Amino acid sequence: MKIRPVIRLTGEIDIPGDKSISHRAIMLGSLAKGETRIKGVQDSDDCNYTAAAFSQMGIEIEKRGEITAVKGKGLKGLQKPAVELHVGNSGTTMRILAGILAGQDFEVTLTADESLSRRPMKRIVEPLSLMGVDIKARDGEYPPLTVKGGPVKAVNYKMPVSSAQVKSAILFAGLYSEGTTRVTEEFRSRDHTERMMEYFGADIDIDGTRVSVTGGKELASRYVEVPGDISSASFFIAAATLLQGSKLMIKKVGMNPTRSCFIDILARMGAHIAVMNKKALFEPVADIEVESAKTSGTVIEKGEIPGIIDELPALFVVASLSEGRTVIEGAGELRVKETDRIRSMQENLSAMGARFSGEGDNIIIDGVKELKPSIIKAYGDHRTCMSMAVAALAARGESEIDDVACVGKSFPGFFRTLEELKQ
Ligand code: S3P
C-alpha cells in the first residue's frame, strides 16, 4: 500500500471494541450459566479465533447486529472438540484458553500459525504445571500446546514477568482450584480479567499487585458493553499530535487506568489531549479530543512498561519527531510480541532517518526535524504496520508498506477510518 503524507487529520471517529475485553467477555460468557450479551465485540481475526474455539467446544455464539449472544453452560460445561483447536496468531487466546482447559475433563491440543508458534509459552506452562495441570509444549516452550484437564491445585505464584496473559491464565485455572489461588506481579499489568471476573460474580480479591481467586463458584451471565480499544486509538492520537492543524474527537474509548498510560505519557511530552465525558462503568470510558502539538522527549521507566506495552511502537514514532531525547527502560517484552517490535521499529524508523538505538531492553530515541519516505516492512505485525503508517503520513514524500493484511488482527478498518479523516 502506498501512503502519501497528509497535511492534517480532522473529524470524529468511533474506535472498534477493545481486543482484550472482547476475548475475556466471550470466555467468561461461555463459562457462566445462561445467556451473556456483549455489545461491540471486536470484529477481528484474533477475537474470531476465540469465538470459534468456544463454538467448537459446544458453546452457541450468535451475532445479532451489534450484540454477540453467548449461551454459557457453566464452569464445566465445555465439550471436548472434535479436532485440535487452531488459534491462528492470537497469543491471548492460546495463553488464557490453556488456563480454562486446565479445569475441563478432556484433553485438547492448541495449534498456532507460524509466528505464534515461535512465541514463548513456558511462562504459562510453569505456573499451570505447579497447579497440577498436565500441559505440554514443544521443547517445553513453544506451541502446539496440549492440555489435559483435571483437578487443579491452588497456588501462591509470583510471576517472573508482568504479563496480563499469564496472570489471566492462572486466574482462569484458579476458578477451578480447590481453595484460593494467589498471583503476584512486580508491576501491575492490565486488569480486565480481574474486573470482569468480579462482574460475573467470581470470588475474587485484589490487593495492590496481588490478585486472589477462590475456586468452585459458578458465574452468572451478564450484559457487557465493550469500550473502544485505546490501543487502536493510539495510532490516531499519535498521528493527530504530529500533523500540524489536526483536531480529532475519538468517542467512547476505554480508559482503564492500567491501559491509558499512553495518554499520560504523551501529555507529559507536551501533547494536547483532553479527556471528557468520562463514565465510570465496570470498565471506564471517555471521549478523547486531540489537537496537534509540539512534543519533547521523556524518560519511561520499567514500571510504566506494562501500562503502555502495546502503544510503544506508536510512541516511538512520536518520540522520533519530538524535540530532544526519549529514553525507554526495561522494554524487553516487546521483543516477544508478534515480531521483535524493537527491531522492526528500529529498522523502519532508521530507514526514514530517525535516530533510534535499541540495545537489549533499552531504547534511546533522539528527535529529528523530519522523516524521509521509505519502503516499510510490516513483518506481519499489526502494530508495526499501523505505527509505521503514522510515520509515513508525517514523512516528506510517498512511502509504501509491503503488507497491510496484518491489521486484520485487531483493526480491519484501520485504513478506511484513516481515509475518512484525511485533509
Ligand atoms: C494482552 C496482554 C498483553 C498485550 C496483548 C494483549 C491481554 O500481553 O501485549 O496485546 O489481552 O491480556 P502480555 O500480557 O503478554 O504482556
Side-chain angles (χ1 to χ4, degrees):
M1 181 181 280
K2 290 196 172 20
I3 312 237
R4 283 198 200 95
V6 296
I7 313 248
R8 58 178 172 267
L9 299 181
T10 57
E12 187 179 301
I13 45 171
D14 287 323
I15 289 286
D18 187 272
K19 178 154 81 71
S20 294
I21 297 173
S22 299
H23 283 299
R24 287 154 173 84
I26 296 167
M27 291 169 170
L28 283 168
S30 299
L31 301 179
K33 280 197 165 152
E35 182 173 285
T36 283
R37 284 177 308 121
I38 315 165
K39 187 175 171 193
V41 167
Q42 184 184 90
D43 186 8
S44 64
D45 298 345
D46 270 22
C47 294
N48 291 337
Y49 277 114
T50 289
F54 283 91
S55 302
Q56 284 174 268
M57 292 189 286
I59 301 296
E60 232 178 273
I61 302 178
E62 196 190 335
K63 276 225 160 211
R64 299 181 202 137
E66 277 191 302
I67 301 290
T68 302
V70 181
K71 289 204 179 119
K73 294 187 181 167
L75 283 179
K76 291 258 188 179
L78 302 179
Q79 292 161 13
K80 182 174 168 64
V83 288
E84 294 176 338
L85 295 178
H86 183 68
V87 303
N89 190 241
S90 182
T92 310
T93 310
M94 176 161 279
R95 296 195 176 111
I96 306 186
L97 194 50
I100 294 172
L101 294 172
Q104 309 304 320
D105 297 323
F106 49 82
E107 181 177 307
V108 188
T109 295
L110 303 177
T111 61
D113 76 355
E114 205 206 318
S115 150
L116 181 55
S117 294
R118 280 183 265 121
R119 293 180 62 191
M121 293 296 150
K122 200 165 161 193
R123 49 183 64 198
I124 57 158
V125 170
E126 254 173 24
L128 292 177
S129 300
L130 287 173
M131 296 174 92
V133 180
D134 183 353
I135 174 167
K136 289 187 189 70
R138 176 173 58 86
D139 298 333
E141 179 63 292
Y142 303 105
L145 285 181
T146 300
V147 187
K148 189 171 171 198
V152 178
K153 279 191 269 184
V155 287
N156 258 321
Y157 189 73
K158 194 163 179 299
M159 288 168 30
V161 276
S162 297
S163 155
Q165 295 180 353
V166 176
K167 174 173 66 179
S168 302
I170 298 167
L171 291 175
F172 270 94
L175 291 175
Y176 298 91
S177 65
E178 243 179 65
T180 303
T181 290
R182 294 184 184 86
V183 56
T184 311
E185 53 189 348
E186 189 182 358
F187 305 114
R188 192 143 198 219
S189 62
R190 62 190 66 186
D191 65 356
H192 304 303
T193 297
E194 299 89 296
R195 282 176 189 251
M196 208 183 289
M197 279 188 176
E198 189 163 47
Y199 185 53
F200 275 74
D203 196 348
I204 197 153
D205 182 62
I206 300 158
D207 180 6
T209 52
R210 189 181 78 174
V211 189
S212 314
V213 64
T214 303
K217 189 173 174 213
E218 285 292 343
L219 308 175
S221 56
R222 289 281 180 257
Y223 173 68
V224 178
E225 255 186 64
V226 181
D229 196 320
I230 191 163
S231 302
S232 303
S234 72
F235 307 109
F236 294 99
I237 297 172
T241 296
L242 291 175
L243 300 168
Q244 254 188 52
S246 294
K247 187 171 180 177
L248 279 191
M249 174 64 103
I250 312 173
K251 305 285 280 183
K252 288 196 197 150
V253 179
M255 287 297 291
N256 179 316
T258 62
R259 290 286 298 286
S260 56
C261 313
F262 178 69
I263 290 178
D264 306 331
I265 291 173
L266 237 57
R268 102 181 165 222
M269 293 171 80
H272 294 165
I273 305 173
V275 176
M276 51 191 82
N277 304 324
K278 201 160 178 180
K279 288 204 189 75
L281 305 175
F282 88 100
E283 284 285 355
V285 294
D287 299 334
I288 297 175
E289 192 178 62
V290 198
E291 288 185 67
S292 59
K294 289 253 171 293
T295 47
S296 0
T298 188
V299 177
I300 300 175
E301 291 170 5
K302 191 173 180 207
E304 292 181 293
I305 298 294
I308 191 180
I309 187 74
D310 288 342
E311 295 74 41
L312 280 170
L315 188 105
F316 297 160
V317 178
V318 177
S320 295
L321 287 166
S322 293
E323 201 181 298
R325 173 167 281 195
T326 295
V327 178
I328 301 155
E329 293 162 358
E333 273 296 294
L334 274 188
R335 297 207 183 268
V336 290
K337 294 297 176 189
E338 285 80 340
T339 188
D340 174 345
R341 286 186 181 147
I342 298 182
R343 215 193 90 215
S344 66
M345 293 301 295
Q346 176 166 18
E347 269 191 35
N348 281 312
L349 283 170
S350 301
M352 295 179 98
R355 293 173 60 203
F356 186 121
S357 94
E359 290 289 328
D361 290 359
N362 300 324
I363 297 154
I364 296 174
I365 301 172
D366 287 307
V368 292
K369 291 258 178 306
E370 58 174 50
L371 294 175
K372 296 183 289 198
S374 164
I375 307 279
I376 293 161
K377 289 195 212 140
Y379 291 99
D381 174 34
H382 58 145
R383 300 202 199 282
T384 296
C385 182
M386 291 185 273
S387 303
M388 289 311 302
V390 172
L393 290 177
R396 286 279 158 231
E398 187 178 272
S399 296
E400 205 176 300
I401 307 184
D402 64 346
D403 171 26
V404 294
C406 54
V407 304
K409 181 181 169 85
S410 65
F411 199 168
F414 172 73
F415 287 102
R416 238 177 300 129
T417 306
L418 193 53
E419 274 313 308
E420 289 166 18
L421 304 171
K422 278 185 189 170
Q423 285 287 304

